[in-house]
């Protein structure tokens, strides 16, 4: 954790950098969005791979839970699809 003074200084430096080099900040924002997209895609792959095993080993209820989580993940990916392009 940063102290309040350090946090204030960090925000000041960030604001100055944003004003002096907006292209740099745009690249950072793009990388953050791309990382979020990769995590959601990785989660989707892992869930789809684990779905059959979970259904066989833990039963239909586990399969239903996985299906609901996959639908929620698909909704998130659909919602944020434009931000990753």
């Amino acid at each position: 954790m940063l102290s309040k003074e350090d946090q204030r200084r960090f925000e000041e430096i960030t604001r100055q950098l944003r004003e002096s080099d907006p292209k740099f900040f745009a690249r950072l924002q793009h990388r953050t969005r791309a990382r979020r997209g990769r995590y959601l895609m990785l989660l989707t792959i892992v869930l789809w791979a684990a779905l059959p095993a979970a259904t066989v080993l833990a039963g239909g209820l586990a399969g239903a839970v996985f299906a609901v989580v996959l639908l929620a993940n698909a909704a998130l990916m659909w919602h944020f699809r434009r931000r990753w392009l």
Side-chain angles (χ1 to χ4, degrees):
M1 291 287 301
L2 295 175
S3 68
K4 289 185 180 186
E5 179 62 30
D6 290 339
Q7 182 66 33
R8 186 192 62 73
R9 181 71 181 133
F10 177 75
E11 289 173 1
E12 181 182 317
I13 291 169
T14 305
R15 186 178 61 249
Q16 288 174 353
L17 182 60
R18 184 180 297 126
E19 292 169 358
S20 67
D21 195 358
K23 289 181 183 180
F24 174 75
F25 255 83
R27 286 194 316 264
L28 283 180
Q29 292 292 3
H30 180 68
R31 289 181 66 175
T32 303
R33 287 186 211 121
R35 189 177 308 127
R36 184 181 308 136
R38 284 192 298 263
Y39 288 146
L40 279 174
M41 187 58 70
L42 179 63
L43 177 64
T44 302
I45 292 168
V46 168
L47 287 173
W48 274 111
L51 176 62
T55 303
V56 169
L57 295 175
L61 181 61
V65 169
F66 268 70
V68 169
V69 171
L70 279 166
L71 285 173
N73 188 353
L76 277 172
M77 290 181 73
W78 181 263
H79 177 72
F80 291 116
R81 72 190 182 283
R82 296 252 183 237
R83 296 182 185 174
W84 298 328
L85 297 176

